[in-house]
Amino acid sequence: MKHFPESELIINQDGSAFHLHVRPEQLSDKIILVGDPGRVDLVASFFDTKECDISSREFHTITGTYKGKRITVVSHGIGTDNIDIVVNELDALANIDFETRNEKPEFRQLTMVRIGTSGGLQPHVPIGTFVISEKSIGFDGVLNFYAGRNEVCDLEFEKAFCDFVEWNPLWAAPYVIDADKELVEQIGKGEMVKGVTISANGFYGPQGRELRVPLADKNLNKKIEAFKYKDGHVITNYEMESSALAGLSKLMGHKAMTVCTIIANRVAHHANSNYKNSIKDLIEIVLDRI
């Protein structure tokens, strides 16, 4: 049985996970993830009951019930580095005994759906479209630090993508990971666009936005938009978290996926900063289907 020393798993004095400040008994098997801590209150506004409300840095957690289902909603902030923290601590809460520091003998599987906002890269994903990240391309490199990375990733897709866009070897090696197929069907029900999402490791340069500092490859976005994989896959959108969520969850044995509402289209150069109604509709759909 694997044992986890204090240096590897930091537990707060109240028995909660180090960053999230959530205790094991406060975690549901069904989890909704959002980036904005303020959006946790929006999700929880649909709950019938609430049992806990915890805030720590950018991590805000509420557990409650919705139509008889116990659900936890957690904010993860921006970026795959935060996803690394959140998914590892959620898994620890579910599968490590915080009193003995030993791995639990029976595995507890979590179902995690991230609800986010995103920028579209194709004409068929205009503003307001709900896009499921059926596949994610991680520009961040987080998954590359974990054993088993090659076993869960689509290596042929990775090579085809790197060859087509002439990937700069100075950048982190991208990884391609699938969301949980059953969960994709459960949440999407054939009504949402299934796409390939890039999880960028930044909002400006890594997504092709140029302000005062020039880009290393000014044509990268054009190459990304033109890329087509052998089975018809095209890259639909940019965001900053789906790859690490799908990848870490797959390595750990959990079910996870990301669904975003498109709030900007990079090709058409349009953006909608007033997207609250769209995200509210998406939240209600996910709550009903999770």
Side-chain angles (χ1 to χ4, degrees), residues 264-276:
N265 191 285
R266 303 294 300 281
V267 179
H269 300 288
H270 292 158
N272 176 22
S273 59
N274 186 23
Y275 54 84
K276 290 185 178 180

Side-chain angles (χ1 to χ4, degrees), residues 11-290:
I11 300 173
N12 299 317
Q13 289 186 350
D14 64 354
S16 64
F18 182 56
H19 294 93
L20 299 183
H21 281 259
V22 174
R23 298 193 305 274
E25 69 273 13
Q26 295 172 320
L27 180 69
S28 169
D29 291 346
K30 298 178 185 292
I31 302 166
I32 291 176
L33 297 167
V34 294
D36 183 356
R39 201 170 290 159
V40 171
D41 289 318
L42 177 58
V43 175
S45 69
F46 291 95
F47 287 2
D48 303 310
T49 63
K50 297 178 188 176
E51 33 176 291
C52 66
D53 189 333
I54 305 156
S55 290
S56 174
R57 304 186 191 187
E58 60 266 63
F59 310 115
H60 182 193
T61 304
I62 295 177
T63 295
T65 58
Y66 173 82
K67 297 183 179 179
K69 296 183 287 190
R70 187 172 185 248
I71 296 173
T72 297
V73 54
V74 183
S75 64
H76 51 68
I78 297 174
T80 53
D81 51 344
N82 276 9
I83 293 294
D84 182 67
I85 291 171
V86 171
V87 173
N88 271 288
E89 292 194 4
L90 291 175
D91 177 73
L93 287 164
N95 291 298
I96 297 175
D97 187 319
F98 273 34
E99 293 185 4
T100 66
R101 295 183 165 275
N102 292 329
E103 187 172 1
K104 293 179 180 178
E106 292 186 10
F107 173 69
R108 177 183 171 192
Q109 186 180 62
L110 303 176
T111 297
M112 294 177 275
V113 178
R114 189 181 100 73
I115 300 172
T117 55
S118 184
L121 289 168
Q122 300 293 339
H124 71 282
V125 286
I127 290 171
T129 306
F130 297 155
V131 176
I132 289 174
S133 302
E134 187 176 29
K135 283 182 178 288
S136 296
I137 305 176
F139 281 10
D140 52 279
V142 165
L143 209 66
N144 300 336
F145 289 88
Y146 290 89
R149 171 252 196 253
N150 283 359
E151 286 69 34
V152 299
C153 288
D154 189 334
L155 303 183
E156 288 187 14
F157 195 118
E158 289 174 13
K159 185 178 186 309
F161 175 77
C162 289
D163 289 346
F164 186 86
V165 303
E166 301 171 300
W167 189 257
N168 189 331
L170 293 176
W171 302 334
Y175 58 94
V176 177
I177 187 79
D178 291 340
D180 183 85
K181 290 180 172 55
E182 290 183 3
L183 191 57
V184 164
E185 297 306 319
Q186 178 182 330
I187 300 298
K189 291 192 179 297
E191 301 167 358
M192 300 178 183
V193 173
K194 295 178 186 176
V196 179
T197 298
I198 289 176
S199 291
N201 53 348
F203 183 77
Y204 290 96
Q207 294 189 37
R209 292 183 174 93
E210 183 175 320
L211 298 183
R212 291 202 322 111
V213 180
L215 300 174
D217 184 351
K218 293 179 180 291
N219 296 315
L220 181 60
N221 269 7
K222 289 183 179 178
K223 290 184 280 189
I224 287 170
E225 292 159 18
F227 173 73
K228 290 182 174 63
Y229 192 52
K230 60 184 179 182
D231 51 4
H233 285 295
V234 295
I235 296 170
T236 48
N237 58 315
Y238 263 126
E239 52 84 84
M240 296 178 66
E241 292 88 18
S242 68
S243 59
L245 173 61
L248 289 172
S249 298
K250 186 159 288 190
L251 288 174
M252 294 172 182
H254 301 302
K255 300 171 69 174
M257 60 161 281
T258 293
V259 57
C260 291
T261 181
I262 300 298
I263 66 169
N265 191 285
R266 303 294 300 281
V267 179
H269 300 288
H270 292 158
N272 176 22
S273 59
N274 186 23
Y275 54 84
K276 290 185 178 180
N277 286 338
S278 181
I279 199 76
K280 190 174 180 181
D281 291 343
L282 182 55
I283 287 168
E284 196 162 11
I285 290 170
V286 172
L287 282 170
D288 283 332
R289 296 178 180 178
I290 192 171

